[in-house]
Amino acid sequence: MATFLGFAVLVTALIHLYLWKRLIRDTTRPGRWRRVGGIALLLLALLVPATMITTRGGVHWLAWPGYLWLALMFYLLVLLLALEVPLAVAKLALRRRMRVGLPASEPALVGAGGPAAAPLDIAAVQAEMPSAGLARASSVGLAEPPADQPPADQPAESATGPANPPPAGTATAPAPGHDPSRRLLLTRGAAIFAGLTAAGLTGYGVRTAMGPPRLDRVQIPLAKLPRSMDGLRIATVSDIHLGPLRGRSHTERIVAMINRLDADLVAVVGDLVDGSVAELGAAAEPLRDLRSRYGSFFVTGNHEYYSGVEEWVQEVDRLGLRVLQNARQEIRARGGVLDLAGVNDVTAAGTGLAAPADYAAALGDRDPSRPVVLLAHQPVAAYEAAKYGVDLQLSGHTHGGQMVPFNLLVGLQQPVVSGLGEVDGTKVYVTNGAGFWGPPVRVGAPPQATLVELRAQ
């Protein structure tokens, strides 16, 4: 956890440095407003790690402002990065337009014989010309200037300024390719667009995340499933994430939804809590009301290991859910048999209740003619599960990405981000989860509970 916090602080600092450049420095002139904006952004940068640390310590009053800013920060970063290319193109076009529009430099002398004649050295010409030819030189404008005029190499000046001022009404041209007012207009426009869009996405995401989970129904055929067990239904939910922003009412709503399904089995696939039993035991209490024909089951997720896994395993068992810790259970229903197995989360470490995933203990020495459904919090467990001939794995963990386009990064770590996929012959179904972690925001991945219906082939 200390390593994670250290990395998070470093990344947060770099992101805020970038936001300061694009939102503050590029949109304001030096002065009071730039200083005020810089101080405000510094305080927001400190708010992110402060929120993570204090919420872990049971202090929750920073949770809402801290996590909302985390979401806004994320979308500001994404939008400003996306605007980098069009901004660069616009600045380049402005620079080229400025160059084309500049007045020409002082024209060179053009001789009678043609253009681009070299400048004449009047002194040298006069020295070589005979006195008889002075009159002729004077007729072509090469004679010595009158005494009351300055020499040719010294421009005449009046008391009020240069002898050849620019024409009246002609503005002094800016440096080539530089127009501060137009560049400022571009950067301010980009900042306003990013700010309004980020605020809109965050507001929509809060409404989605705090709303009721969506119920999805999916049918999954299993080759080994007996005909008599066709239609066996498993209510699947994960990532409830009871914590500083979600409490007992959240659990009650989920339990009521699952009970209305009248499922054969209930599977809670990890990340139930973000806090200790002392803090969240009352919030988890409604789980004792879960109803199903053949039992309710639970496997640990990575967040249980941040929250006192030993206490939570005992508490969940007390609430009536069987915790499958590297174990399996025979499900005898409708004249057939199905193996339901569960493994600890892949990030677990230690011994006893905190032992890491043990696939051999959960899946070894079983009848290979039976279908087996594995509960594993992270989809990545399917790589090991496939070695044991698992027919179907039910997982969570990814939140479906929670905030688009974060789902693209999740896909780099997990083989399936949301919905039904396949890994080395093992079918993997990943539910989006019924809660959220961190920002109370979901964009493109609504909260979800799923009724999985097994079909015989």
Side-chain angles (χ1 to χ4, degrees):
M1 181 57 68
T3 302
F4 171 76
L5 286 175
F7 178 75
V9 167
L10 175 62
V11 171
T12 299
L14 293 175
I15 291 174
H16 281 80
L17 181 63
Y18 173 76
L19 294 182
W20 172 81
K21 184 178 185 303
R22 286 290 177 259
L23 298 178
I24 308 293
R25 195 191 72 173
D26 290 355
T27 62
T28 59
R29 293 185 173 90
R32 182 179 63 179
W33 290 113
R34 180 177 289 187
R35 290 193 298 271
V36 170
I39 293 172
L41 202 60
L42 175 62
L43 294 176
L44 289 171
L46 296 174
L47 178 62
V48 174
T51 299
M52 293 182 177
I53 293 170
T54 56
T55 52
R56 293 291 305 167
V59 180
H60 298 159
W61 61 272
L62 277 180
W64 270 104
Y67 283 129
L68 281 178
W69 169 244
L70 189 62
L72 274 170
M73 177 196 78
F74 172 74
Y75 277 119
L76 283 170
L77 174 66
V78 169
L79 291 163
L80 288 171
L81 288 175
L83 288 171
E84 287 289 349
V85 172
L87 264 181
V89 172
K91 289 177 181 177
L92 180 61
L94 178 61
R95 196 173 291 124
R96 297 178 75 175
R97 183 177 177 184
M98 287 293 299
R99 288 198 183 102
V100 171
L102 281 176
S105 58
E106 194 172 312
L109 291 176
V110 179
L120 298 178
D121 189 338
I122 298 175
V125 172
Q126 288 178 336
E128 294 178 3
M129 292 176 64
S131 58
L134 285 177
R136 183 165 173 248
S138 176
S139 68
V140 296
L142 298 179
E144 183 177 350
D148 60 344
Q149 294 185 9
D153 58 345
Q154 297 181 9
E157 293 183 0
S158 65
T160 59
N164 299 307
T170 302
T172 303
H178 181 70
D179 187 343
S181 62
R182 293 189 179 182
R183 290 172 65 88
L184 192 62
L185 182 63
L186 279 175
T187 54
R188 284 179 176 174
I192 291 171
F193 173 80
L196 292 176
T197 306
L201 286 170
T202 301
Y204 165 79
V206 170
R207 181 178 178 181
T208 303
M210 300 302 291
R214 184 183 73 190
L215 176 62
D216 283 2
R217 300 171 186 264
V218 59
Q219 294 185 348
I220 303 177
L222 298 184
K224 297 178 184 178
L225 188 71
R227 289 287 178 184
S228 62
M229 298 184 75
D230 181 71
L232 188 79
R233 299 184 304 165
I234 306 174
T236 306
V237 65
S238 76
D239 301 279
I240 295 173
H241 283 292
L242 299 175
L245 300 180
R246 280 300 203 184
R248 186 183 181 98
S249 62
H250 181 49
T251 313
E252 290 173 343
R253 181 163 61 182
I254 293 169
V255 169
M257 172 184 285
I258 291 175
N259 287 345
R260 286 195 297 269
L261 299 176
D262 193 26
D264 298 299
L265 297 166
V266 173
V268 181
V269 199
D271 278 9
L272 171 64
V273 291
D274 283 307
S276 67
V277 172
E279 294 172 322
L280 299 172
E285 187 73 23
L287 290 175
R288 68 166 58 254
D289 297 326
L290 282 171
R291 296 193 305 267
S292 62
R293 287 186 177 84
Y294 305 109
S296 299
F297 299 86
F298 177 82
V299 291
T300 56
N302 54 309
H303 280 249
E304 272 70 58
Y305 293 89
Y306 310 148
S307 306
V309 64
E310 293 88 354
E311 287 187 341
W312 274 114
V313 166
Q314 295 171 5
E315 179 67 10
V316 169
D317 184 71
R318 186 184 70 82
L319 294 175
L321 284 77
R322 169 148 187 216
V323 183
L324 294 175
Q325 289 231 307
N326 300 324
R328 70 176 180 270
Q329 171 76 47
E330 286 186 355
I331 305 298
R332 295 186 175 272
R334 306 176 186 177
V337 182
L338 174 144
D339 285 333
L340 183 68
V343 291
N344 292 349
D345 186 64
V346 296
T347 61
T351 59
L353 295 179
D358 188 340
Y359 298 90
L363 299 166
D365 300 326
R366 67 177 192 85
D367 185 349
S369 66
R370 295 178 181 174
V372 57
V373 175
L374 176 68
L375 308 183
H377 178 61
Q378 297 195 38
V380 73
Y383 290 113
E384 287 297 319
K387 298 175 183 178
Y388 291 86
V390 168
D391 299 282
L392 171 65
Q393 176 178 307
L394 300 177
S395 298
H397 181 67
T398 65
H399 299 196
Q402 186 164 325
M403 296 166 59
V404 170
F406 191 71
N407 57 309
L408 301 178
L409 295 179
V410 176
L412 299 177
Q413 184 199 22
Q414 301 291 338
V416 182
V417 176
S418 181
L420 184 63
E422 188 170 313
V423 176
D424 297 338
T426 292
K427 294 178 180 179
V428 181
Y429 180 81
V430 181
T431 180
N432 288 350
F436 52 80
W437 180 79
V441 175
R442 277 184 172 270
V443 177
Q448 178 189 60
T450 307
L451 184 65
V452 175
E453 187 174 349
L454 304 181
R455 305 309 302 257
Q457 285 184 324

